[in-house]
Amino acid sequence: GENVEQHPSTLSVQEGDSAVIKCTYSDSASNYFPWYKQELGKRPQLIIDIRSNVGEKKDQRIAVTLNKTAKHFSLHITETQPEDSAVYFCAAGGTSYGKLTFGQGTILTVHP
Amino acid sequence: NAGVTQTPKFQVLKTGQSMTLQCAQDMNHNSMYWYRQDPGMGLRLIYYSASEGTTDKGEVPNGYNVSRLNKREFSLRLESAAPSQTSVYFCASSPGRGRADTQYFGPGTRLTVL
């Protein structure tokens, strides 16, 4: 089955800095890569996703890049703000009934 | 449009007790999922239902059973709870159009087994 590794497990940045979280996946058949943000005590919520037919997608301060050859994808957050502090999860999925395999999560802390 | 709802929000059980976690979605999604979330372990799939009338095991199915009651509802049952099942349980749904797609999560159930 699919295996997703996520790094780093914790990330601490100053407000205004950029943050990058990286994930690798094992199954070359995976073609959908979402990123979820989970605030303390809340549910995971989708912040951005990318499919394997594109290499990069951007939404305001958030971008995701995908390297299919190397089987890794990354989340980039620019101009970080304290409200970006949360746990971020990457995931990978293919055609298997919509199943997603999640990474272990990254705790992002943005210091004012 | 409530999205994905779960009941109860919190539950405390004694070892050996049974309970059912309820999940419902009003987005006309075909696929539904149950996950458990433990510190440092991410989200692990317990069971999923690709469509009404079908269920399949995920990564950690032992100790659980599920029922896809209809298109809207997907329940998770613990027949004999164990302390190792202390966790936060999330239900999710997705359109299920034969491909991986955005999953929408419920608010979660925090379960403690003593």
Side-chain angles (χ1 to χ4, degrees), chain A residues 11 16 32 39 57 94 97 99:
Chain A
L11 180 59
Y32 176 65
E39 296 176 347
K57 185 176 179 181
Y97 305 112
K99 283 197 303 180

Side-chain angles (χ1 to χ4, degrees), chain A residues 38-101:
Chain A
Q38 186 179 28
E39 296 176 347
L40 191 62
K42 301 287 181 65
R43 73 189 80 186
Q45 293 197 296
L46 181 78
I47 54 172
I48 195 166
D49 57 6
I50 191 168
R51 294 199 180 269
S52 59
N53 56 347
V54 296
E56 184 174 357
K57 185 176 179 181
K58 197 171 183 181
D59 183 4
Q60 299 183 340
R61 297 186 297 109
I62 294 173
V64 56
T65 57
L66 171 65
N67 183 326
K68 286 186 293 184
T69 304
K71 288 192 277 192
H72 68 71
F73 56 111
S74 299
L75 177 71
H76 305 254
I77 306 174
T78 59
E79 300 172 24
T80 54
Q81 301 166 2
E83 50 266 38
D84 293 330
S85 296
V87 181
Y88 290 80
F89 292 97
C90 64
T95 56
S96 181
Y97 305 112
K99 283 197 303 180
L100 296 175
T101 301

Side-chain angles (χ1 to χ4, degrees), chain A residues 31-32 36 38 42-44 46 49 51 89 93-100 102-104, chain B residues 4 31 33 35 37 40-43 45 48 50 90 98-103 105-107:
Chain A
N31 54 25
Y32 176 65
Y36 286 82
Q38 186 179 28
K42 301 287 181 65
R43 73 189 80 186
L46 181 78
D49 57 6
R51 294 199 180 269
F89 292 97
T95 56
S96 181
Y97 305 112
K99 283 197 303 180
L100 296 175
F102 285 82
Q104 296 88 341
Chain B
V4 181
S31 300
Y33 313 85
Y35 293 91
Q37 184 176 36
M41 300 290 287
L43 291 152
L45 184 65
Y48 67 101
F90 287 100
R99 64 174 191 175
D101 211 333
T102 305
Q103 290 187 11
F105 285 83

Side-chain angles (χ1 to χ4, degrees), chain B:
Chain B
N1 194 338
V4 181
T5 57
Q6 291 181 238
T7 56
K9 287 186 169 55
F10 302 93
Q11 184 70 50
V12 178
L13 293 177
K14 294 181 181 178
T15 297
Q17 287 185 317
S18 62
M19 79 161 295
T20 300
L21 283 65
Q22 306 286 354
C23 174
Q25 52 91 9
D26 62 2
M27 296 177 282
N28 200 35
H29 285 170
N30 289 313
S31 300
M32 298 184 74
Y33 313 85
W34 276 106
Y35 293 91
R36 60 178 289 172
Q37 184 176 36
D38 303 296
M41 300 290 287
L43 291 152
R44 293 185 293 169
L45 184 65
I46 305 171
Y47 270 93
Y48 67 101
S49 171
S51 61
E52 185 179 356
T54 68
T55 60
D56 281 289
K57 295 178 180 179
E59 181 186 353
V60 289
N62 291 345
Y64 306 95
N65 283 300
V66 291
S67 295
R68 183 76 182 265
L69 304 169
N70 47 56
K71 191 171 185 178
R72 290 187 63 249
E73 298 171 290
F74 188 38
S75 63
L76 178 72
R77 182 159 178 85
L78 287 70
E79 290 292 350
S80 180
S84 61
Q85 294 178 305
T86 294
S87 189
V88 180
Y89 291 86
F90 287 100
C91 176
S93 71
S94 72
R97 296 169 290 199
R99 64 174 191 175
D101 211 333
T102 305
Q103 290 187 11
Y104 299 84
F105 285 83
T109 295
R110 188 173 295 274
L111 175 66
T112 301
V113 183
L114 302 174

